[in-house]
Amino acid sequence: MSEADCTEYDTPVTEDETEALVHGICFKTGPPATVGVELEWLVHELRAPRLPTTPERLAAAAAALRALPLGSAVTVEPGGQLELSSLPAASLTECVASVSADLRLARAALADLGLGLSGRGQDPWHPPRRLLDDARYVAMERYFDRTGPAGRAMMCSTASVQICLDAGYEEPGPLGHGRRWRLAHLLGAVLVAAFANSPLDRGLPTGWRSTRQAVWASIDPGRVDAPPEGAEPRTAWARHVLDAPVMCVRTAEGPWLVPERVSFRDWLRGGALPRPPTRADLDYHLTTLFPPVRPRGHLELRMIDAQPGPDGWLVPLAVTEALFEDPEAAERAYRTVKPLAERALGEDGTSRAAPRNPLWLDAARHGLADPELREAAVDCFAAALEALPRRGAPAAVVDAVGAFAERHVARGRCPADDLLDEVNGRTP
């Protein structure tokens, strides 16, 4: 057992210990071998999908899913969104089969209650409403309310497809962890654009193809931004964690503390809060950081809107897995997206962090109507389609990716455009 693993969870940690701990756990390197997916869904009434669902019916839905023999974990988000999180799978095929089976059971159980699952990046019709009174979410709401409404919208109205991949090899190359970290932040903008699926808020167009991504870009930078480009990934993430603001301090009784403008480094250096932080506080702090790519030993890609239809989630999962895990496709994808780095620069010529740099904001606003992002998406989808058979992907998955590429990518469209056409009475 390593020194980091032996650290007592309830004893104070020093600044050096904390930086070493984060440095040691953020990237667990080795041969890429597993894949996972986390699917967030809005819940709707089958009889009238635009009607708000009551808290009581949402609670019944969660209870029904938790009673099922699912391989995926079931959690409930603050606004009542349901999330299914798969176990790590040994292949894309295994992941797809397991989650598809879970979703069939889940949809059948919900249908018995008159409820369904909706794949939208943001609730198109209703304002945010927090339904859970857990101390974490009460504290989170207090924290976010200090800087505007975006935090509440993120908590209560958004849903995503989150893809989990191994960090990669320690050594350089297409599957090395440093290359995969950089690829994730450049390809991430292409994924935002290709799968943008949240153009409405309370029934009206927002001017963004991915309003969900625009919401994330409006939240406290210390909580949702990626670390600065250029530094070695472990070092950059460790410094980012220490400099990020503390969202809350858990207490045994009463509401949790929600400090103002106190970084974890400030807390470690003493005087900012009533007691020094422990390893348990550090672990909790890590769960309150929401960058577009979160290193948790593995890489968690968090930038993709929830997708329409019962199987829409298959396409971003398959495309992303292929572009990261197939060496030939990974190299081709990296060459394709590398020039996009110039668009991540600010007016002063310095690199800006995702998700609020110009590249990511253009992806969220325009989707694949942006010519350069469309061109990159066309090439990346082509690389994925070539790689998926080599990855042993089922024919149905390859066909789904091909159909999406033909319907959307080749035409410079994303799912958001379909919803806008529907609302405007147009035929796509």
Side-chain angles (χ1 to χ4, degrees):
M1 185 176 290
S2 69
E3 181 181 346
D5 293 330
C6 292
T7 302
E8 294 291 339
Y9 277 72
D10 58 353
T11 58
V13 289
T14 67
E15 187 172 341
D16 288 343
E17 288 172 340
T18 299
E19 191 157 358
L21 284 166
V22 177
H23 195 278
I25 64 177
C26 56
F27 293 90
K28 299 292 187 182
T29 52
T34 59
V35 59
V37 67
E38 300 173 19
L39 304 177
E40 295 174 338
W41 301 90
L42 305 174
V43 181
H44 67 266
E45 299 285 346
L46 288 177
R47 62 185 176 85
R50 295 191 187 184
L51 280 180
T53 305
T54 66
E56 293 76 19
R57 286 177 60 70
L58 289 167
L65 295 196
R66 286 171 174 154
L68 296 173
L70 303 180
S72 301
V74 177
T75 54
V76 183
E77 297 298 311
Q81 310 98 309
L82 292 176
E83 178 177 291
L84 272 66
S85 302
S86 76
L87 293 171
S91 68
L92 173 65
T93 299
E94 180 183 313
C95 184
V96 167
S98 174
V99 176
S100 296
D102 285 349
L103 281 170
R104 284 193 292 272
L105 289 175
R107 290 183 187 280
L110 292 176
D112 288 342
L113 299 174
L115 297 172
L117 298 176
S118 177
R120 300 291 185 194
Q122 175 166 294
D123 189 325
W125 317 117
H126 308 120
R129 52 175 184 154
R130 178 171 56 82
L131 303 181
L132 300 185
D133 290 324
D134 305 47
R136 173 184 173 92
Y137 298 130
V138 173
M140 186 182 291
E141 187 176 83
R142 287 178 57 202
Y143 176 91
F144 283 130
D145 281 353
R146 290 172 178 165
T147 54
R152 283 199 186 204
M154 176 274 288
M155 291 171 58
C156 302
S157 296
T158 63
S160 67
V161 174
Q162 298 177 17
I163 298 167
C164 299
L165 303 166
D166 289 327
Y169 288 101
E170 188 67 28
E171 298 80 12
L175 302 185
H177 77 282
R179 170 71 71 84
R180 287 159 74 88
W181 177 247
R182 180 155 174 77
L183 174 63
H185 288 90
L186 292 173
L187 179 63
V190 179
L191 298 176
V192 168
F195 298 110
N197 186 37
S198 49
L200 304 179
D201 183 29
R202 304 178 210 194
L204 298 175
T206 63
W208 297 82
R209 297 305 202 282
S210 177
T211 303
R212 171 185 168 273
Q213 195 61 50
V215 164
W216 280 100
S218 300
I219 295 173
D220 171 18
R223 192 144 314 281
V224 303
D225 276 14
E229 283 285 336
E232 190 277 326
R234 287 190 178 95
T235 300
W237 179 247
R239 291 174 179 170
H240 182 74
V241 168
L242 266 65
D243 291 331
V246 176
M247 188 182 79
C248 58
V249 179
R250 294 170 294 171
T251 59
E253 297 181 359
W256 293 359
L257 299 177
V258 183
E260 292 196 52
R261 294 183 295 278
V262 175
S263 70
F264 202 86
R265 195 184 301 277
D266 294 334
W267 193 5
L268 287 162
R269 291 179 177 179
L273 293 169
R275 61 170 178 80
T278 64
R279 169 68 189 271
D281 291 316
L282 170 62
D283 288 351
Y284 197 81
H285 176 61
L286 289 168
T287 73
T288 70
L289 303 180
F290 311 114
V293 184
R294 184 160 64 175
R296 303 179 61 189
H298 60 275
L299 299 181
E300 183 183 79
L301 279 68
R302 304 170 51 86
M303 72 287 295
I304 300 170
D305 282 1
Q307 294 297 288
D311 299 322
W313 59 275
L314 290 172
V315 178
L317 172 63
V319 169
T320 306
E321 196 271 352
L323 295 179
F324 274 82
E325 308 301 4
D326 183 87
E328 183 179 333
E331 185 64 30
R332 179 174 171 182
Y334 185 70
R335 291 198 306 268
T336 295
V337 301
K338 188 177 179 181
L340 296 175
E342 295 182 6
R343 291 182 58 180
L345 302 178
E347 293 182 358
D348 59 358
T350 59
S351 179
R352 298 293 176 88
R356 69 189 76 237
N357 65 41
L359 172 65
W360 279 63
L361 292 174
D362 285 345
R365 184 179 294 279
H366 304 296
L368 295 186
D370 180 294
E372 193 173 12
L373 287 167
R374 175 185 178 180
E375 182 179 354
V378 167
D379 198 45
C380 286
F381 268 73
L385 283 166
E386 291 178 8
L388 284 168
R390 295 195 294 267
R391 306 286 306 156
V397 172
V398 179
D399 290 345
V401 173
F404 187 96
E406 182 178 349
R407 175 181 172 83
H408 292 102
V409 179
R411 300 168 62 195
R413 292 174 59 89
C414 56
D417 294 308
D418 296 341
L419 182 55
L420 290 170
D421 286 343
E422 178 186 328
V423 169
N424 293 323
R426 297 192 297 260
T427 301

